[in-house]
C-alpha cells in the first residue's frame, strides 16, 4: 500500500486538487481574468484580484455546493496522482472514463444552480438543471460517485500491477 | 499469468480533450468569438454589436493608446441610478430579485459599497434587470413593480422598492406575492391605484426584456453579474465583467484600480 500512497502521491494530490479548484474560480470569471492578466495592470492588482475571486468561492455558492466542490477537487487530485503513478499500465479504461466524466461533471455542475451555473449557463443548460429535484446538486453527486469508482478501480489495479512486477 | 487487456493510451487523454473542447467551444460561442450563424471566427477588432453592447475577450487599446478599463462595452440605458450621476466609476448590476445570491449580495456586499463608494460620490450604481426564466413570473413581476415605483417617485422611489423586495423575498421564484408588492407601494406612500394599474398591465415588460438582451450580449449569463468601468458622459462605457455574489474585497480591488 505504501508503495502507492506515498508522500509524493499526496503532494501531487494537493497540487492537482488546488489546480482543479482554481480552474473553477477561473471559469466563473474567465473574461475578467483574461483581461486582467493579459492587460497592463500592476502585479499587485493582479494578485489582489486573484485572492479576492478565490475567496469568492465561499460566497458565490451554497454550503452544500461548496463542500461538494471541495470533495470533487480532492477526488480529482487523487485520481490524477494515481493515474500518473500507474500510467505505464493503462489497462483501466473504465476507471479512466469514469474519472474523465466525473471531473467534467464536477466542473460543469459547480456554482449556484438557482442563479445560473457558469459553465452550464454557457451551454444554455443551467435552467434545465434547476428543474431537477435538488437544483443541480445531482450532477455533483454523480461526479463524486464516478470519481470514487475510478479511484477505487485504479487503486486496486495499481496494487495488482505492483504484484505482477514483483 | 493473466493476460492484460490491450493498453489504451487514448481513453484518458480523449475524455480530457473532449471535455476541454466542449467547455472551450461553449466559451467561444457564448462570447461571440465564434459566430455559428455567420460561420467562422469573429475577430476581436470586429467586435460584434448587439443591442448597444459589445463584447470581446482580448484587452483593447483605444486610438490614443491608453488601455481601456474593461473588455465589455455596455450602456447604462435609461435605468435607475443610485448615487452621484457624475461619479467617476459606474457599477452596473444585472440582477434577479428572486435569485438567492442576488439577495446575499444585497445583504452582505451592497451596504459596504454604498457606504464606502456610492455615498462618497466615487461610484454610481445602475440596477438593470436580469430575471431568470425559472424564477418567473415573480422575478419579472418584481422588476416591473420597481419600475412602476420609479414612474411615480423617480430613482429614489425605485431604490426604496428595490430594497423592500430584497429584504422581504425568500427567493427562488416564490419569495413574494403580488399582494406583497401592492403593500410595499402603499407603505412607500405611492398612489396605490396607479401602481396597481401599472403592475397589472405589465407596463415595463419590454424595458425588462431589453435589459435581458443587453445582459446576454455582455455575457452576463448568471446572476448577479456586474460590469464595473470608468463612467462616460455618453452613458456607454467599457468595463470589467464580475460574475457572482463576490466578496466586497473583489469590488474594492477593481473599483480602487479604476479610481487611480
Amino acid at each position: 500500500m505504501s508503495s502507492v500512497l506515498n508522500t509524493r502521491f499526496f503532494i501531487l494530490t494537493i497540487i492537482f486538487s488546488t489546480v482543479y479548484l482554481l480552474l473553477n474560480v477561473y471559469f466563473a470569471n474567465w473574461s475578467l481574468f483574461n483581461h486582467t492578466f493579459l492587460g497592463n495592470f500592476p502585479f499587485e492588482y493582479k494578485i489582489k484580484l486573484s485572492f479576492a475571486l478565490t475567496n469568492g468561492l465561499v460566497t458565490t455558492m451554497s454550503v452544500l455546493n461548496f463542500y461538494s466542490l471541495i470533495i470533487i477537487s480532492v477526488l480529482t487530485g487523487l485520481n490524477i496522482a494515481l493515474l500518473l503513478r500507474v500510467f505505464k499500465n493503462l489497462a483501466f479504461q473504465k476507471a479512466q472514463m469514469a474519472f474523465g466524466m466525473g471531473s467534467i461533471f464536477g466542473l460543469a455542475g459547480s456554482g449556484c444552480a438557482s442563479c445560473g451555473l457558469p459553465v452550464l449557463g454557457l451551454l444554455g443548460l443551467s435552467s434545465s438543471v434547476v428543474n431537477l429535484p435538488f437544483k443541480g446538486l445531482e450532477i455533483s453527486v454523480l461526479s463524486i460517485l464516478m470519481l470514487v469508482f475510478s479511484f477505487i478501480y485504479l487503486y486496486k489495479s495499481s496494487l495488482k500491477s505492483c504484484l505482477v512486477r514483483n | 499469468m493473466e493476460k492484460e487487456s490491450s493498453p489504451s493510451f487514448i481513453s484518458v487523454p480523449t475524455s480530457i480533450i473532449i471535455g476541454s473542447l466542449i467547455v472551450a467551444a461553449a466559451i467561444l460561442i457564448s462570447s461571440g468569438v465564434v459566430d455559428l450563424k455567420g460561420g467562422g471566427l469573429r475577430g476581436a477588432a470586429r467586435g460584434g454589436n448587439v443591442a448597444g453592447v459589445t463584447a470581446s475577450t482580448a484587452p483593447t487599446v483605444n486610438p490614443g493608446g491608453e488601455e481601456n478599463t474593461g473588455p465589455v462595452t455596455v450602456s447604462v440605458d435609461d435605468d435607475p441610478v443610485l448615487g452621484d450621476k457624475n461619479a467617476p466609476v459606474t457599477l452596473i448590476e444585472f440582477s434577479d430579485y428572486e435569485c438567492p445570491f442576488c439577495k446575499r449580495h444585497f445583504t452582505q456586499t451592497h451596504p459596504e459599497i454604498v457606504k464606502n463608494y456610492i455615498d462618497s460620490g466615487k461610484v454610481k450604481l445602475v440596477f438593470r434587470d436580469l430575471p431568470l426564466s425559472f424564477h418567473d413570473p415573480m422575478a419579472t413581476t418584481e422588476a416591473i413593480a420597481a419600475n412602476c415605483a420609479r414612474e411615480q417617485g423617480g430613482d429614489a422611489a425605485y431604490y426604496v422598492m428595490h430594497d423592500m423586495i430584497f429584504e422581504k423575498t425568500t427567493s427562488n421564484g416564490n419569495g413574494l406575492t403580488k399582494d406583497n408588492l401592492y403593500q410595499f407601494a402603499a407603505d412607500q406612500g405611492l398612489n396605490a391605484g396607479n401602481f396597481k394599474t401599472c403592475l397589472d398591465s405589465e407596463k415595463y415588460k419590454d424595458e425588462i426584456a431589453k435589459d435581458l438582451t443587453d445582459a446576454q450580449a455582455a455575457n452576463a449569463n448568471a446572476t448577479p453579474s456586474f460590469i464595473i468601468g470608468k463612467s462616460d458622459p455618453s452613458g456607454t462605457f467599457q468595463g470589467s465583467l464580475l460574475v457572482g455574489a463576490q466578496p466586497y474585497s473583489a469590488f474594492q480591488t477593481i473599483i480602487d484600480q479604476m479610481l487611480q
Side-chain angles (χ1 to χ4, degrees):
Chain A
M1 181 170 170
S2 60
S3 64
V4 177
L5 305 180
N6 52 23
T7 310
R8 183 176 169 272
F9 172 83
F10 284 110
I11 290 170
L12 283 174
T13 299
I14 291 167
I15 291 170
F16 289 121
S17 301
T18 308
V19 167
Y20 186 86
L21 208 58
L22 293 177
L23 265 180
N24 272 274
V25 178
Y26 170 75
F27 276 122
N29 275 290
W30 60 272
S31 161
L32 180 59
F33 270 111
N34 288 353
H35 176 69
T36 304
F37 281 90
L38 297 176
N40 185 25
F41 292 102
F43 180 71
E44 188 193 351
Y45 170 68
K46 294 176 182 183
I47 296 298
K48 272 176 84 174
L49 186 65
S50 302
F51 273 107
L53 293 176
T54 306
N55 285 339
L57 267 181
V58 183
T59 57
T60 54
M61 57 183 79
S62 69
V63 175
L64 267 180
N65 281 119
F66 180 71
Y67 282 114
S68 66
L69 175 62
I70 297 294
I71 293 168
I72 289 166
S73 300
V74 172
L75 284 169
T76 300
L78 283 168
N79 273 280
I80 296 175
L82 195 53
L83 205 59
L84 289 177
R85 174 71 180 79
V86 295
F87 207 68
K88 291 171 191 167
N89 302 295
L90 281 171
F92 322 121
Q93 293 179 35
K94 279 183 199 168
Q96 291 157 22
M97 193 54 75
F99 157 67
M101 295 306 289
S103 295
I104 291 162
F105 277 143
L107 199 60
S110 62
C112 158
S114 62
C115 310
L117 298 165
V119 177
L120 287 181
L122 294 173
L123 297 166
L125 296 173
S126 61
S127 57
S128 315
V129 169
V130 169
N131 292 324
L132 294 171
F134 295 99
K135 312 257 181 206
L137 194 63
E138 294 90 339
I139 294 179
S140 297
V141 172
L142 183 66
S143 171
I144 289 170
L145 291 175
M146 287 173 123
L147 289 167
V148 168
F149 163 76
S150 73
F151 179 73
I152 293 170
Y153 198 90
L154 276 172
Y155 180 67
K156 282 184 177 174
S157 302
S158 70
L159 289 179
K160 202 187 291 177
S161 67
C162 289
L163 287 174
V164 171
R165 270 191 225 142
N166 292 336
Chain B
M1 186 172 150
E2 191 180 317
K3 191 184 175 186
E4 273 188 353
S5 56
S6 64
S8 166
F9 290 91
I10 296 173
S11 53
V12 168
T14 303
S15 56
I16 292 171
I17 289 167
I18 289 173
S20 305
L21 287 176
I22 291 170
V23 172
I27 290 170
L28 290 173
I29 292 166
S30 68
S31 65
V33 175
V34 174
D35 185 0
L36 286 180
K37 286 178 187 168
L41 282 171
R42 181 190 290 178
R46 184 176 142 196
N49 196 329
V50 185
V53 181
T54 315
S56 61
T57 51
T60 50
V61 176
N62 68 21
E66 187 186 340
E67 191 174 344
N68 292 321
T69 54
V72 177
T73 304
V74 66
S75 165
V76 298
D77 201 21
D78 56 352
D79 286 311
V81 177
L82 182 66
D84 183 352
K85 285 187 164 56
N86 299 314
V89 170
T90 301
L91 165 63
I92 289 186
E93 177 178 353
F94 282 106
S95 187
D96 173 348
Y97 286 106
E98 284 296 304
C99 162
F101 286 80
C102 298
K103 184 180 167 88
R104 178 181 281 184
H105 170 80
F106 172 76
T107 55
Q108 294 181 358
T109 311
H110 175 77
E112 286 203 77
I113 294 173
V114 171
K115 183 182 154 198
N116 297 326
Y117 293 104
I118 294 177
D119 286 350
S120 59
K122 293 174 183 167
V123 173
K124 65 178 173 189
L125 169 70
V126 179
F127 190 90
R128 302 195 68 183
D129 296 302
L130 179 50
L132 301 173
S133 58
F134 46 87
H135 289 152
D136 271 340
M138 191 41 68
T140 296
T141 303
E142 288 164 351
I144 293 170
N147 278 286
C148 289
R150 186 187 186 204
E151 183 181 273
Q152 291 191 38
D155 289 357
Y158 180 96
Y159 280 102
V160 172
M161 180 63 79
H162 160 278
D163 292 359
M164 283 176 160
I165 294 171
F166 270 132
E167 278 164 14
K168 301 289 183 190
T169 184
T170 53
S171 305
N172 289 317
N174 48 13
L176 291 173
T177 63
K178 253 186 168 183
D179 287 339
N180 292 136
L181 298 172
Y182 299 143
Q183 188 59 49
F184 294 165
D187 293 347
Q188 201 179 329
L190 300 176
N191 181 308
N194 289 349
F195 180 84
K196 190 173 187 307
T197 305
C198 176
L199 187 59
D200 292 350
S201 66
E202 298 187 328
K203 188 174 177 180
Y204 292 98
K205 205 170 182 179
D206 289 345
E207 162 64 29
I208 288 152
K210 185 177 183 307
D211 284 3
L212 203 68
T213 307
D214 284 1
Q216 285 166 349
N219 296 321
N221 295 309
T223 56
S225 287
F226 306 87
I227 297 169
I228 310 168
K230 288 183 180 171
S231 303
D232 190 286
S234 68
T236 300
F237 68 95
Q238 289 185 306
S240 298
L241 175 66
L242 180 62
V243 180
Q246 298 292 341
Y248 172 70
S249 58
F251 291 89
Q252 186 183 31
T253 304
I254 296 171
I255 292 170
D256 285 348
Q257 176 64 27
M258 302 235 170
L259 286 170
Q260 281 178 7

